Amino acid sequence: MEKLIEDENTIAKSIYDDAVGKMAYDIFKELDSQGFEAKFAYAVIKQDFTESIRINPPEDEDLYIPWIITETDSFNADSKCASFIINTQENIDPEVEGQSIKEKITARLSSTNAWGTLRNYGDQEFPYGFKIKQVNGTLAEILVDENTWFLKVMCEVKDTNGLWLKNLVCEARVTGTDDAPIVTYFIVY
């Protein structure tokens, strides 16, 4: 009997480990056949969708949602339970496209160099003093497209009288390459 439980656990763990990219309903059925309970949480809102998957098989075309497992969450052989994060293909595609854009731009212009370019540009615009609060004052680091970073950060500027103006916001768009970055937009308010 102990050997049978060990085999079920080994098979279930293998199903769990290979689940990413597979249909949630298929993994539910495979784990169920091994005596395991499968739980599924929707990636966007972290809500439990297990019951929806269980009662709406692919044959039920009107109610079936083709959930795809995007991440493994937990596996417990003792309680015979495995949990997963799921999403739909239409939600996954924009995420993959976003990652592709980020890979393209970071190959040309890293975010580190974009921040350095913003800092240097600020130093030129405010020769008496310019500080950005990147560690605890970053408000945005967004890829606008595959060529441009949008950066928004809290900053301080020293005026001609030597007084620091604090709690300001700096926005910039930086494009180009690591070797030749270009600031196309810069404002402090």
Side-chain angles (χ1 to χ4, degrees), residues 142-162:
I142 301 168
L143 287 168
V144 176
D145 58 37
E146 61 187 52
N147 297 311
T148 309
W149 286 100
F150 171 75
L151 307 173
K152 185 174 182 178
V153 64
M154 299 300 295
C155 69
E156 297 178 1
V157 174
K158 189 185 277 187
D159 68 13
T160 55
N161 298 321

Side-chain angles (χ1 to χ4, degrees), residues 5-78:
I5 291 171
E6 186 178 307
D7 289 344
E8 285 176 345
N9 290 347
T10 303
I11 293 168
K13 179 69 167 123
S14 177
I15 293 167
Y16 172 82
D17 289 340
D18 295 334
V20 173
K22 295 184 178 174
M23 301 306 291
Y25 185 81
D26 295 341
I27 297 301
F28 161 74
K29 294 302 282 180
E30 288 181 41
L31 286 172
D32 188 55
S33 73
Q34 298 301 315
F36 273 72
E37 177 185 8
K39 294 183 179 180
F40 303 93
Y42 180 28
V44 176
I45 57 175
K46 303 300 186 218
Q47 183 177 350
D48 187 351
F49 273 67
T50 303
E51 190 64 13
S52 174
I53 290 168
R54 189 182 67 74
I55 64 173
N56 297 312
E59 299 80 35
D60 188 353
E61 293 177 17
D62 292 336
L63 298 175
Y64 175 70
I65 298 173
W67 293 107
I68 298 169
I69 295 174
T70 57
E71 297 175 53
T72 54
D73 186 36
S74 67
F75 181 88
N76 188 317
D78 295 332

Side-chain angles (χ1 to χ4, degrees), residues 112-151:
T112 303
N113 282 337
W115 282 107
T117 301
L118 177 151
R119 190 175 293 110
N120 292 341
Y121 194 89
D123 288 341
Q124 291 172 6
E125 291 293 306
F126 301 98
Y128 299 106
F130 177 75
K131 296 180 192 174
I132 63 171
K133 306 291 184 183
Q134 189 176 352
V135 174
N136 58 358
T138 296
L139 303 171
E141 179 183 293
I142 301 168
L143 287 168
V144 176
D145 58 37
E146 61 187 52
N147 297 311
T148 309
W149 286 100
F150 171 75
L151 307 173

Side-chain angles (χ1 to χ4, degrees), residues 2 10 19 25 58 89 92 100 104 110 115 135 158 160 173:
E2 191 174 304
T10 303
Y25 185 81
Q89 192 64 51
I92 295 169
S100 175
K104 287 178 185 176
S110 70
W115 282 107
V135 174
K158 189 185 277 187
T160 55
R173 287 182 185 237

